[in-house]
Amino acid sequence: MKNSFKLRFRLIIAFLLVFITLSEAHIFASDAIVVGSKDLSVSTLSKEAIQNIFLGQQTTWEDGTKIKFAYLQLDPTDKIFLREYMYYTNVRYIRHWRSQVFSGKGEMPPMLQSDEEMLKFIKENKGAIGFVTSGADTSSVKTLSVK
Amino acid sequence: MKIKHILSLLFISILSSFTCAGAAEVGGIDIHGFISQGYITTSDNNFMGNTSDGTFEFNEIGINFGKELTESMRVGVQLFSRDLGNYGNNEISVDWAYGDYRWKDWLGIRVGKIKTPHGLYNETRDVDMLRNWIFLPQSVYPEIERDAALSLMGVGVYGNARLGRFGGLSYQALIGTQNIEANESLAQSLMGINTFDPYMRNQDINVDKKYAVSLTWDTPLNGLRVGGSAQVARMDLVSYGAYPAGSGIFSYMFMEMDPETGIPVFDSETGMPVYSEYAFNAFTDVKTENYVISAEYTWNNLMVVAEYMLSDRELTINTQGVYPDMANSYDETFAYLGQTEWAGVYSPSTPIYRKPAGWYVGATYRFTDWFELGGYYSENYGNRNDRDGATAAADVFQPLDPVYRAYNNDICLTARFDINEYWAVKLEGHLIEGVAGLPLSENTGMDNAHTFVKDWEMYAAKITYNF
């Protein structure tokens, strides 16, 4: 019985190894751009800073202004943004915030459905940051470069 | 009890219909919730309930309300109800409720009923939607001790620090106490069904102090986080055991005696001693320490995780017998023998030490937006210094029977199907060797002998919804 158990264990491990080595196809054009409100004192952000902000770990700008960020739930812009700037998948990102919500540690960021909604959010909130699809009219907001 | 359950389901259903599957906001209060219903069946052995016949007594329901009072302060509460076999029974409880003031990113404070860290997933263990597996590995997240690891009532500080190219650190430190229902799993595990025999039941459990800390390092390698957590608690248990004549580990103490001579009475036909029914209370001081180290790596759609838990338990048991009509104290009954105090087989000055340990490695992979496969291998030991149970099985007073109660090796495979962002269906299978962590009372036959089977299988299905 013990040998049978070990054999089944090995078979399952082998199966797991097969699927985790499957290659993935992630071919995205880099067409998500980070935007912020015009009052922001920064014009460049590191990827690390973007991660910290969008995971809720950095809550204020260096000048003490409260950070308000929103998530654009628009495929494929959200997937591109998460992959390029945060090394996250959208499933993992949403789970992160649900974990925060259901353990009482945080509140979901606004989940916006279009570039227009995001631009409106940025324009109306001091210290706001978000991302939009490249090509969107960003004249009313500040485009942030990412290093 | 069931009415509460139905009302809860109704409430969440109505609420979710208003919210069109997404979160709700009423008067500036954010409302989120989740509900899941599962089915468990086991080939042999009962896992926290009558699972060998299959059971739908497997659900969780939660709803929370949160409001940001200022930019730095928020309050929230989550109501929770669950059923898992004989535990929970859909009684509604406050899962967490606290005020949170975040002064700086590196320092915030929470006051109230707070979820406590234990490994990577304890704080969200009841939210099925957040993971691939239906059951977290029992080696690190044993269901029978869920209520002990879950939360505390007190105060905590938390924060995170950015370390530049070295990544980032986040921490929590909490202190307080905890209310644990006497009939819940931990109490039964510590002193009763899983420890002595099926006759023992807990009447009360008081947690004097509880501490919890965690430290997580988000390493410079994107997707890799490592961490450690610890929980330390001091508690008192009041237990009661009522035994038929000749049953239980102390039965030899309760032979019928001639009231004049004090000599044991023997059956004239069988020549065997005549026993009496008896009962006793046990007052137990418990010190528990749980430590977990964790590592999780996420790369695109692949997640690999490993955790190791080490526990130390110290139980000092003080017993008082009540014999034989359960009206007179043991002291009164046996005073004529010159005994005025009995501390039971276990002297209060001789604590019992337990040293459980467990570990697992697991992985999940998301193939498409709607399909994710996962699995883990988990090993769980009741005593890390006696992993095969050989020493415990040779114990004179209370031999471990069967010996494979000493361990539990579990291979799990889970398929998760996401219908959409809010609904998911899961199917899970387990191949298990050993029965550590299974309640004895759920696995005892009419003849009071155990019904454990060494190699067994468990299957579970679950549908879950959140908003």
Side-chain angles (χ1 to χ4, degrees):
Chain A
M1 199 64 180
K2 183 97 178 173
N3 288 337
S4 165
F5 188 79
K6 283 184 176 175
L7 178 63
R8 285 187 288 185
F9 169 65
R10 285 172 184 159
L11 283 171
I12 288 173
I13 291 297
F15 180 66
L16 290 173
L17 288 173
V18 168
F19 85 69
I20 63 175
T21 52
L22 290 174
S23 61
E24 299 179 65
H26 286 288
I27 303 167
F28 292 132
S30 179
D31 58 356
I33 54 174
V34 181
V35 291
S37 52
K38 289 212 166 183
D39 62 285
L40 288 187
S41 56
V42 297
S43 53
T44 303
L45 286 171
S46 65
K47 287 185 177 180
E48 183 202 356
I50 288 177
Q51 274 193 21
N52 288 327
I53 290 168
F54 281 86
L55 293 177
Q57 293 173 347
Q58 181 181 339
T59 60
T60 55
W61 296 107
E62 283 182 9
D63 62 5
T65 308
K66 180 80 175 174
I67 295 174
K68 291 184 177 170
F69 69 98
Y71 183 77
L72 178 61
Q73 211 164 19
L74 181 65
D75 191 15
T77 308
D78 56 348
K79 289 179 179 169
I80 295 165
F81 169 77
L82 291 172
R83 181 172 170 79
E84 294 299 314
Y85 299 118
M86 296 186 62
Y87 310 102
Y88 265 57
T89 63
N90 59 333
V91 171
R92 186 180 169 208
Y93 186 73
I94 297 296
R95 279 187 192 174
H96 165 81
W97 277 106
R98 284 186 177 147
S99 296
Q100 299 290 300
V101 166
F102 289 120
S103 61
K105 291 181 175 176
E107 195 52 61
M108 274 274 191
M111 294 286 175
L112 308 180
Q113 305 301 316
S114 68
D115 289 326
E116 290 71 28
E117 275 187 59
M118 177 63 83
L119 292 166
K120 184 169 180 284
F121 171 84
I122 300 286
K123 202 162 64 176
E124 291 178 352
N125 286 285
K126 192 180 175 190
I129 183 172
F131 58 94
V132 294
T133 311
S134 69
D137 178 8
T138 57
S139 57
S140 61
V141 297
K142 188 174 188 176
T143 301
L144 302 172
S145 61
V146 180
K147 61 180 180 184
Chain B
M1 185 170 69
K2 291 300 174 189
I3 291 174
K4 280 183 184 175
H5 184 190
I6 292 163
L7 286 174
S8 303
L9 287 167
L10 196 62
F11 178 62
I12 287 189
S13 301
I14 292 169
L15 192 62
S16 59
S17 66
F18 277 121
T19 60
C20 300
E25 185 181 326
V26 179
I29 298 172
D30 294 306
I31 305 172
H32 297 270
F34 58 90
I35 182 168
S36 62
Q37 176 62 55
Y39 176 80
I40 319 173
T41 184
T42 48
S43 61
D44 306 278
N45 303 326
N46 286 315
F47 177 77
M48 308 294 286
N50 188 22
T51 54
S52 57
D53 290 336
T55 180
F56 283 100
E57 285 189 295
F58 183 27
N59 65 58
E60 295 102 11
I61 307 166
I63 185 164
N64 71 51
F65 307 87
K67 183 172 177 61
E68 197 169 273
L69 301 178
T70 70
E71 285 190 344
S72 304
M73 186 180 295
R74 62 187 304 276
V75 293
V77 60
Q78 179 159 288
L79 302 177
F80 180 68
S81 161
R82 76 158 190 156
D83 193 14
L84 179 56
N86 294 331
Y87 302 98
N89 293 321
N90 285 118
E91 296 290 336
I92 296 173
S93 63
V94 175
D95 196 28
W96 50 260
Y98 52 82
D100 182 340
Y101 178 68
R102 189 166 182 167
W103 180 53
K104 300 284 186 186
D105 288 334
W106 54 271
L107 182 61
I109 184 168
R110 296 185 180 117
V111 179
K113 188 171 186 181
I114 309 166
K115 287 282 195 180
T116 45
H118 168 91
L120 296 173
Y121 310 121
N122 184 61
E123 291 151 285
T124 55
R125 65 188 294 164
D126 294 320
V127 191
D128 185 66
M129 194 74 174
L130 298 178
R131 61 176 179 268
N132 174 275
W133 310 313
I134 293 177
F135 286 103
L136 286 167
Q138 297 297 293
S139 52
V140 177
Y141 304 94
E143 279 298 330
I144 203 160
E145 296 184 5
R146 167 192 170 277
D147 43 335
L150 209 55
S151 59
L152 62 70
M153 182 73 79
V155 61
V157 293
Y158 69 96
N160 57 272
R162 295 181 293 279
L163 306 177
R165 62 194 177 94
F166 297 107
L169 280 178
S170 56
Y171 72 91
Q172 290 186 78
L174 306 96
I175 184 169
T177 183
Q178 186 179 12
N179 294 319
I180 299 175
E181 290 294 324
N183 61 357
E184 270 294 340
S185 50
L186 163 83
Q188 302 303 334
S189 170
L190 281 175
M191 182 66 188
I193 58 172
N194 204 36
T195 307
F196 281 87
D197 53 51
Y199 300 104
M200 288 294 290
R201 289 289 181 273
N202 264 298
Q203 293 180 299
D204 196 14
I205 181 165
N206 300 302
V207 179
D208 302 323
K209 296 186 192 74
K210 181 173 178 177
Y211 315 90
V213 294
S214 73
L215 185 66
T216 304
W217 177 35
D218 288 308
T219 70
L221 177 62
N222 279 304
L224 176 63
R225 61 171 174 159
V226 296
S229 58
Q231 286 196 16
V232 177
R234 301 282 183 274
M235 58 187 86
D236 305 313
L237 287 83
V238 181
S239 310
Y240 178 80
Y243 296 82
S247 300
I249 58 172
F250 298 132
S251 62
Y252 70 96
M253 299 288 293
F254 297 96
M255 290 186 290
E256 290 276 5
M257 301 209 187
D258 187 303
E260 293 182 0
T261 64
I263 297 172
V265 175
F266 290 87
D267 187 290
S268 56
E269 292 183 5
T270 64
M272 299 297 289
V274 177
Y275 292 98
S276 294
E277 64 177 5
Y278 68 100
F280 67 84
N281 290 325
F283 304 93
T284 309
D285 300 319
V286 182
K287 298 175 184 175
T288 71
E289 298 175 6
N290 294 325
Y291 305 95
V292 183
I293 54 171
S294 315
E296 182 193 79
Y297 179 61
T298 306
W299 179 71
N300 294 330
N301 292 309
L302 172 69
M303 188 276 289
V304 181
V305 61
E307 293 191 278
Y308 176 80
M309 181 177 79
L310 180 151
S311 297
D312 280 318
R313 307 270 161 77
E314 181 184 310
L315 291 86
T316 305
I317 303 172
N318 307 275
T319 52
Q320 182 185 20
V322 182
Y323 162 90
D325 56 6
M326 303 178 196
N328 300 319
S329 73
Y330 180 92
D331 297 349
E332 292 167 0
T333 307
F334 285 84
Y336 71 92
L337 291 175
Q339 296 181 13
T340 55
E341 189 174 321
W342 178 54
V345 170
Y346 299 98
S347 162
S349 60
T350 310
I352 301 168
Y353 294 98
R354 296 212 177 108
K355 297 180 177 298
W359 63 272
Y360 76 91
V361 291
T364 67
Y365 189 87
R366 179 162 286 271
F367 288 90
T368 70
D369 284 343
W370 57 270
F371 179 59
E372 186 178 85
L373 198 60
Y376 59 74
Y377 175 70
S378 161
E379 289 192 3
N380 183 22
Y381 298 101
N383 182 352
R384 60 182 178 272
N385 298 327
D386 183 25
R387 294 188 173 212
D388 61 2
T391 304
D395 187 86
V396 174
F397 287 110
Q398 194 191 349
L400 184 69
D401 178 36
V403 68
Y404 50 83
R405 283 184 72 195
Y407 58 88
N408 179 320
N409 302 332
D410 182 359
I411 300 170
C412 167
L413 190 64
T414 310
R416 171 178 171 144
F417 305 89
D418 286 88
I419 299 167
N420 57 35
E421 188 182 336
Y422 307 103
W423 286 92
V425 175
K426 300 179 183 181
L427 301 172
E428 183 166 294
H430 294 255
L431 297 175
I432 305 169
E433 179 188 13
V435 296
L438 294 190
L440 180 58
S441 65
E442 313 278 358
N443 294 280
T444 301
M446 295 297 287
D447 58 355
N448 287 328
H450 75 77
T451 57
F452 286 126
V453 172
K454 182 181 177 185
D455 295 297
W456 54 295
E457 294 160 15
M458 180 165 77
Y459 300 96
K462 208 168 193 183
I463 182 163
T464 187
Y465 167 77
N466 83 127
F467 67 92

